[in-house]
């Protein structure tokens, strides 16, 4: 029982802060048939992909460039990087997630689909899935589908090394 209004407000505030800490949000994305999870804090934005402009002699894993919100982004082709699937040519509908500037500014990841925001409490640990070299682990959702957790650092390092991009590796 709370004796004062201040004690009650403090209790409610503490409870809300604890609940906020326990719920972690993922962004669910598709690269081909595979489901991938990215921490909501690792992405700056998600949007329907504008037309990606290809540039001659682009290294593998780079789809092209886009202009969005007054900035130019290098677009990484996630199905190609994660699954080695050939990407369809420009004009293909997809989703972009821009990488948080905490990692690297000016990079967007192109995905075949966006599932949406997914709370961490809807997943359990998955122990029976071989994971990609770009995965920090995997989780299983309530329907039994396996989702891999994207290691953005590993993707940036791989594309940087493979392409010779300055400032990526």
């Amino acid at each position: 029982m709370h004796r004062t209004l201040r004690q009650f407000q403090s209790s409610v505030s503490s409870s809300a802060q604890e609940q906020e800490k326990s719920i972690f949000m993922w962004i669910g994305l598709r690269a081909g048939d595979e489901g991938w999870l990215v921490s909501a804090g690792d992405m700056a934005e998600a949007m329907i992909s504008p037309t990606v402009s290809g540039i001659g002699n682009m290294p593998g894993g780079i789809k092209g460039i886009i202009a969005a919100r007054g900035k130019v982004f290098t677009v990484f082709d996630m199905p190609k990087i994660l699954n080695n699937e050939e990407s369809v040519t420009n004009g293909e509908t997809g989703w972009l997630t821009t990488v948080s500037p905490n990692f690297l500014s000016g990079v967007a990841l192109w995905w075949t689909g966006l599932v949406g925001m997914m709370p961490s409490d809807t997943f359990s640990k998955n122990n029976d899935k071989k994971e990609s070299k770009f995965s920090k682990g995997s989780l299983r959702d309530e329907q039994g589908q396996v989702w891999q957790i994207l290691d953005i650092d590993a993707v940036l390092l791989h594309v940087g090394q493979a392409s010779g991009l300055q400032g990526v590796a």
Side-chain angles (χ1 to χ4, degrees), residues 27 40 42-47 68-69 73 96-100:
I27 299 174
D42 293 345
M43 294 290 114
E45 180 178 18
M47 68 182 107
R69 315 278 190 268
F73 293 89
L96 286 178
T97 53
T98 57
V99 175
S100 167

Side-chain angles (χ1 to χ4, degrees), residues 48-64:
I48 295 174
S49 178
T51 301
V52 178
S53 300
I55 299 172
N57 298 322
M58 260 187 296
I62 297 181
K63 192 170 183 67

Side-chain angles (χ1 to χ4, degrees), residues 52-161:
V52 178
S53 300
I55 299 172
N57 298 322
M58 260 187 296
I62 297 181
K63 192 170 183 67
I65 60 172
I66 61 155
R69 315 278 190 268
K71 296 179 183 174
V72 175
F73 293 89
T74 301
V75 179
F76 289 12
D77 187 342
M78 297 310 290
K80 176 74 174 165
I81 294 167
L82 300 172
N83 306 326
N84 203 26
E85 293 177 2
E86 284 303 317
S87 187
V88 179
T89 58
N90 288 341
E92 172 181 28
T93 303
W95 286 86
L96 286 178
T97 53
T98 57
V99 175
S100 167
N102 295 338
F103 286 97
L104 186 65
S105 197
V107 172
L109 309 179
W110 188 91
W111 302 89
T112 52
L114 171 72
V115 177
M117 299 293 284
M118 304 170 84
S120 62
D121 61 357
T122 62
F123 292 95
S124 59
K125 182 139 177 71
N126 178 49
N127 295 317
D128 53 65
K129 169 91 169 129
K130 183 181 180 309
E131 295 165 2
S132 159
K133 67 180 180 180
F134 302 112
S135 174
K136 293 181 182 179
S138 62
L139 301 173
R140 189 174 293 277
D141 67 17
E142 294 168 332
Q143 290 77 35
Q145 181 176 348
V146 174
W147 295 82
Q148 293 194 61
I149 302 168
L150 185 68
D151 184 344
I152 293 175
D153 287 322
V155 170
L156 295 175
L157 182 63
H158 171 78
V159 174
Q161 289 175 340

